[in-house]
Amino acid sequence: MRIDLHTHSAASDGTDTPGDLVRAAAAAGLDVVALTDHDATSGWDEAREAAADAGITLVPGLEISTTFHHRGVHLLAYLPDPSHPPLAAALDRILAGRTERTPAIVAALREHGIDITEDDVRREAGGSVAAGRPHVADALVRMGVVGDRTQAFTELLDPGRPGYRNRYAAELEDMVPLVVGAGGVPVIAHPWGRRGGTVLDAEALAGLQDLGLAGIEVDHQDHGPDQRERLRAIAADLDLVVTGSSDHHGLGKVDHDLGVNTTDPAQYERLLSLATSGVRLG
Ligand code: AMP
Ligand code: ZN
Ligand code: FE
Ligand code: FE
């Protein structure tokens, strides 16, 4: 059984529609795929229908933007009830922060001499409710300012670069119990990836576990072999669920092909057993 527990569709910053993503997952030989768009559950229904047609299992989830000691941390939440009022309110606030940030980024880039408009970004964001820097990057690629998303980030959109602007994110220590309250299963995405740095050490993870954290994503492209080994040891020590995923973004991220990392079936079963929302698999 091949299980990929973290992917993005065009409901956030992936490039496939939710239906196409699920069909691609089936074609890649996956038996289970989780749709985990940034701060959004709007792709769930379409993904569920496609999963039923394609004969694979869809795990509805999302990847929530949070902060922990002033660092950005992504929190995966599996099977939460999106209508749970505190969760719905938290997501509304995060999405508003995204919407408000786009004009600020556009203004900063214009000040930097790049003739980009909010419409250019809106066009790239298409049906996404979670407008983000990747859509700005896509607009910059289309304009020929940069060659690809990665170059857009490293030259213009990463912290310290001229087009970077901060946005609101929820506190991780509030969001973990909130996801549990919504009947979902909270798992930290790529804890030591990119700028995750060292804030999420064993002690911090133990503290988060006390708040309801269920697991950590160990097998992710941002983690090297040594990091994976150390994270696996921490998870074993704390008895946290271990997950693996592609963090697939369609054409939006290279080296993140569907199924490039997978989750052990026993870990997946344990994760499912922790969900209490009644939200159904697709
Ligand atoms: P945002 O949430 O709008 O601040 O954008 C951050 C998202 O951009 C991350 O979740 C990644 O999906 C994506 N991202 C970050 N860095 C890069 C990069 N170098 N190349 C492509 N995508 C990136
Ligand atoms: Zn993304
Ligand atoms: Fe992430
Ligand atoms: Fe992701």
Side-chain angles (χ1 to χ4, degrees), residues 8 12-14 38 63 74 134 149 247 249 253:
H8 297 268
S12 61
D13 59 359
H38 296 286
E63 184 178 19
H74 287 174
R149 269 191 188 181
D247 198 359
H249 280 69
K253 240 183 197 179

Side-chain angles (χ1 to χ4, degrees), residues 192 223-232:
W192 293 351
H223 297 147
D226 180 56
Q227 288 177 308
R228 295 185 192 201
E229 196 178 315
R230 282 156 55 211
L231 280 169
R232 223 182 293 284

Side-chain angles (χ1 to χ4, degrees), residues 36 40 98 109 112 122-123 155 196 220 229 256:
T36 53
R98 286 181 169 282
L109 290 171
H112 190 62
R122 209 168 292 130
R123 212 171 296 126
E155 292 184 5
H220 184 281
E229 196 178 315
H256 287 255

